[in-house]
Amino acid sequence: MTDYGRGTGREPWHPDDPLYGDPGWDGQQAAHGQGSYGGQRQQPQQPYYDGQQQQPPQQPYYDGQQPHQPPYDGRQHQQQPHQQQQPQQPGYPDQQQYNNAGWDTGQQQGAVPYDVNPADPYGGQQPGYGGESPDYYGTPEAYPPPQPPGQRHSAPDENAEWDGGPEAGAPEEHPFFTGADDRDDDGEQDDDPDENGRGRGGDRRGKTKKKKKSRTGCACLVLSLVMAGGVGGVAYFGYEFWQDRFGEPADFVGAGTGSVEITVPKGAGTGQIGSVLEKEGVVKSAGAFVSVAAGNPKAQGIQPGVYPLKKEMSAKAALEVMINPSNLNALIISEGWRNVKIYAEIDKRLKLKDGTTRDVARSESKNLGLPGWANDNTKIKDPLEGFLYPARYDVGRKSTPKSVLKEMVSRASGQYASQDLEAQANRLGLDSPLQLVTVASLVQAEGKTHDDFRKMAEVVYNRLKPDNDQTNQKLQFDSAFNYLRGQSNIKISESEINSNPDPYNTYFHKGLTPGPIGNPGSDAMAAALNPTKDGWLYFVATDGENKTEFAKTIAEFNKLKDKFNESQGIG
């Protein structure tokens, strides 16, 4: 067989080789004994017999250099222009012509005709077959013969150092791990000369370069840290997910330490309250508070306001404080309270000296936001009376007497403005909105129940009428006299009442008091705006406390008065 068309390799191309019969030039699989030149069966070569015992031709071997290839006729067969091509040799109908696209040896050769015996297609040019021919493949200018498609490789770089390559089993490694792309501090390649005097980067000039710095350890450390961080992150979020879904909420133990004030907004549920407590460091988690509150029905009654609590309390301890209204740090103003009582309560809540808030009210009354129609009478004892609206007010450590009073006045002014007291006062025959507030304060002070308020309001308006000849426009209210005395006494002598000329004494003076005698609530104000029209002119607390009865005539009034004296044991 011929070695024509073999590829380079360590072993000769033998029929027993697995690659023997690789697809030919036309991409078809060659069967055993069939040539790969045009898909036709090759005629077996007959050894040339020159009368001597011939030995079988030796197979070429690979010695690490350019492989020995069988020579042809030693001349380049180029097809000259307009030259008639030689007919194909018998048995090689598809044999490739050696034209300009053939093997270029770098020399221009003339066309040489095939003058050999057609029966011997190799023309006796094979080694050992009738003569020696020069080995043109051994010259530096020779080009390696074409290789079978399955063994083709790109031309090797003559300057590249062969390191065994993938075929030698050398693993391919990325420059990041091998340090092949390392640069020293001056930006040059850091190559270390090997034992042959050549740098690892393929420098054949024998230059000695600086030793490489390997990145392998650093890269492995970085990757290890990244992987450890990833695993740790997954574990952390997995634990948090498990805790949120299945674990018990985190909680502190004990009653806590220190002190802190928590403000619960209006309409807040246990979840929102728990979030506020967690944010301020009272409880360890909102979930713990919600879990405890779910098992206590009183938790639904937690009122908005300021609560004095401690840091790092258990959820149960915090809940116990908040469900007790007495622990609420708030100031609750009841309907009908006089200002003097409110001042004392503010001092108590803010832990101030008695009289501190009263002095602030007197000095700052014009700076607290009173409406323009207030204080229209110079005989008013307290300009803020009737304007400290009954409600609940949150009081904390940052609260001051002025801030609390200002909030109360603001609440009252807003309520009065929403009811358009100026127009209502004109409708009811009063001189000013302040008089309407004064009527409401009297109704609040004299009425014992909410059912009495409208009847009491009618009594006031009927006695203020100019045609009232029963009381001569005098209200004769004990509550007004008790106000000027700063007391609450139902047993007042007639001599004392009739002899005191104070402007707030309705037994002595006609008409309304100079200003309100307390702070009326919403029910009393509503009654003052919408009194009954039944003709009520008198009333008596027949039991001395809670039961109030009304009369239209003086005769009915005297019967009610006798009933009162009987209940009090007065003969």
Side-chain angles (χ1 to χ4, degrees), residues 153 207 232-233:
H153 301 283
K207 292 184 179 180

Side-chain angles (χ1 to χ4, degrees), residues 342-369:
I342 296 175
Y343 297 152
E345 191 66 20
I346 293 176
D347 288 341
K348 180 180 178 180
R349 283 290 180 179
L350 298 182
K351 299 179 181 181
L352 301 173
K353 182 181 178 180
D354 292 345
T356 301
T357 304
R358 180 194 60 200
D359 294 341
V360 172
R362 290 176 179 175
S363 62
E364 297 289 340
S365 60
K366 296 181 180 180
N367 301 321
L368 298 177

Side-chain angles (χ1 to χ4, degrees), residues 453-507:
F453 288 162
R454 291 187 66 201
K455 294 179 181 179
M456 193 68 66
E458 184 183 0
V459 170
V460 173
Y461 289 127
N462 287 337
R463 289 192 179 189
L464 291 177
K465 289 180 179 181
D467 58 352
N468 173 21
D469 56 1
Q470 300 290 322
T471 63
N472 297 317
Q473 296 182 327
K474 292 182 179 179
L475 295 181
Q476 299 178 339
F477 279 15
D478 292 348
S479 57
F481 189 81
N482 283 331
Y483 176 79
L484 70 92
R485 297 292 300 268
Q487 65 183 20
S488 296
N489 190 357
I490 62 174
K491 294 180 180 181
I492 304 174
S493 65
E494 292 184 4
S495 60
E496 182 182 5
I497 291 176
N498 294 329
S499 62
N500 192 330
D502 190 278
Y504 281 82
N505 185 359
T506 58
Y507 282 92

Side-chain angles (χ1 to χ4, degrees), residues 261 329 331 343-353 356-357 394-405:
E261 288 184 345
N329 199 1
L331 178 62
Y343 297 152
E345 191 66 20
I346 293 176
D347 288 341
K348 180 180 178 180
R349 283 290 180 179
L350 298 182
K351 299 179 181 181
L352 301 173
K353 182 181 178 180
T356 301
T357 304
D394 298 328
V395 178
R397 293 182 177 179
K398 297 182 179 180
S399 299
T400 63
K402 183 177 180 180
S403 66
V404 175
L405 292 175

Side-chain angles (χ1 to χ4, degrees), residues 504-534:
Y504 281 82
N505 185 359
T506 58
Y507 282 92
F508 192 90
H509 296 282
K510 296 180 179 180
L512 295 170
T513 56
I517 63 172
N519 293 279
S522 58
D523 287 348
M525 179 59 68
L529 293 173
N530 187 26
T532 60
K533 297 179 180 181
D534 298 330

